[in-house]
Amino acid sequence: MASFAKPQLLALVLCFLISIGTAHGSSFAAGHDCKAFHPIFAFGDSTTDTGNQVRSSANGTFSPAANPPYGSTFFKKATGRYSDGRLMVDFLTSALKEGFLPAHLEAPGKLRNASQNFAVAGATALDLKTLQRLANVTSFTPESLESELAAFSIETAGADFSNALVYFGEIGGNDFNYALAAHRPHKVLNSLFKPITHKISSSLDSLLKRGVKHIVVQGQFPMGCISLYLKTLNGTKTDKHGCIQSVMQISDRHNHKLKRIVHHLAKKHKHANIVFFDTSAAYVHILDHASKYNFTNVQDPCYVGALQQMIMPSTSTSSSSIHAPVINMKACPNPQNYVGWDGIHLTDAMYGKMMKLFLTDPSFSSPFPNFLTKCTKI
Ligand SMILES: *[C@@H]1O[C@H](CO)[C@@H](O)[C@H](O)[C@H]1NC(C)=O
Ligand SMILES: *[C@@H]1O[C@H](CO)[C@@H](O)[C@H](O)[C@H]1NC(C)=O
Ligand SMILES: *[C@@H]1O[C@H](CO)[C@@H](O)[C@H](O)[C@H]1NC(C)=O
Ligand SMILES: *[C@@H]1O[C@H](CO)[C@@H](O)[C@H](O)[C@H]1NC(C)=O
Ligand SMILES: *[C@@H]1O[C@H](CO)[C@@H](O)[C@H](O)[C@H]1NC(C)=O
């Protein structure tokens, strides 16, 4: 099978992984009024981006989400989301009756102190200089956790965060995706875990120190279960959920570390509510009970446009393959029965079912009940 495509294509890649939650010390928000988490901010990669990447300088390079059929199921137009519809953060803010978070770049300078989303498709946890130094790879977008937080600081200087909610979406998956795409050896992949979790930890710590009291930390997706890896590594060892074992080990290990960080921060900041959503565990639970969740296809993407480009034979090195139109390829007629949307990202149906699990099922949220359980209806 074709080797991984050019790193810039993988860019949009989100990434993935898991582990199960031990309850950590955070208690239910003392007397928090469920009516108003405000403002709400989000950080992360393409699994949380509600429209930044298509408006950023990276748009010209490769932004399939700027065109249909992205958005076609729910919004009936492309919004810049890497899905046919809503993302997990959309389901959460809707359940809180706060509507959808505008992308930070939707109205530059006009959202001062207001709810907004800083997540960017392709973003890495490590800044590009560090990623380049450690793994000799780069990203298709200059954005990273650091630049997302820098934009946040500018937009919210002096703001009062006592009722704010931060949705800290998946970040760090792309660091691994870029390294995998470039066939970096184990030693290099191993060198990434510590700096990535350190970066995430210090970012969360700085939000808490600034007075944010409510934080959702989204675990990494189970990398080995995503179409991209199921296809490109087809034939290599799979686990009992049908996911590629070698890649699964990466997300498992990262999630294990991430969960420890969240546990530690919750202990250190007792006045705050920090909840960990175990993305990987929820995802494999749904794979294992696919028909119960109305999914008839858990491996193939509903829409093959973006994926096809990504796994194009590596002989096609001309930039034309990067810019090849994806708009002529058709999506499946029943995305509600598919887990995967474009080979990397998931469908509205899958994201919605996952968020419901986080808000209602003790197995996928630690602690549970969490500070959102009482405040959401989904
Ligand atoms: C991003 O690029 C696409 C394709 O070139 C274009 O149609 C779209 O309008 C751009 N989006 C923004 C927000 O500039
Ligand atoms: C980094 O990668 C490039 C291209 O893959 C290669 O030519 C170069 O030798 C690498 N540099 C180091 C320091 O490994
Ligand atoms: C945000 O609100 C605070 C408090 O009202 C204000 O002091 C600050 O200037 C505002 N920040 C921005 C970037 O407008
Ligand atoms: C993996 O390869 C087998 C045999 O060619 C094929 O039947 C299967 O559909 C492939 N799996 C994926 C996810 O493409
Ligand atoms: C399940 O999928 C079918 C289409 O195959 C759809 O009509 C139905 O609404 C879905 N049910 C749920 C509960 O999502």
Side-chain angles (χ1 to χ4, degrees), residues 112-113 153-160:
R112 289 283 159 99
N113 283 343
S153 294
I154 292 168
E155 290 286 298
T156 61
D160 171 13

Side-chain angles (χ1 to χ4, degrees), residues 135-137 182 184:
N136 189 21
V137 291
R184 295 295 176 249

Side-chain angles (χ1 to χ4, degrees), residues 222-227 229-231 233-246 248 283-284 287-288 298-300:
M223 286 173 82
C225 308
I226 304 295
S227 289
Y229 291 113
L230 290 173
K231 302 250 178 223
L233 298 174
N234 193 359
T236 72
K237 201 158 182 239
T238 54
D239 65 14
K240 63 178 192 242
H241 310 290
C243 306
I244 304 290
Q245 207 163 55
S246 60
M248 217 47 183
Y283 191 111
V284 299
L287 288 190
D288 290 349
V298 301
Q299 293 211 316
D300 304 312

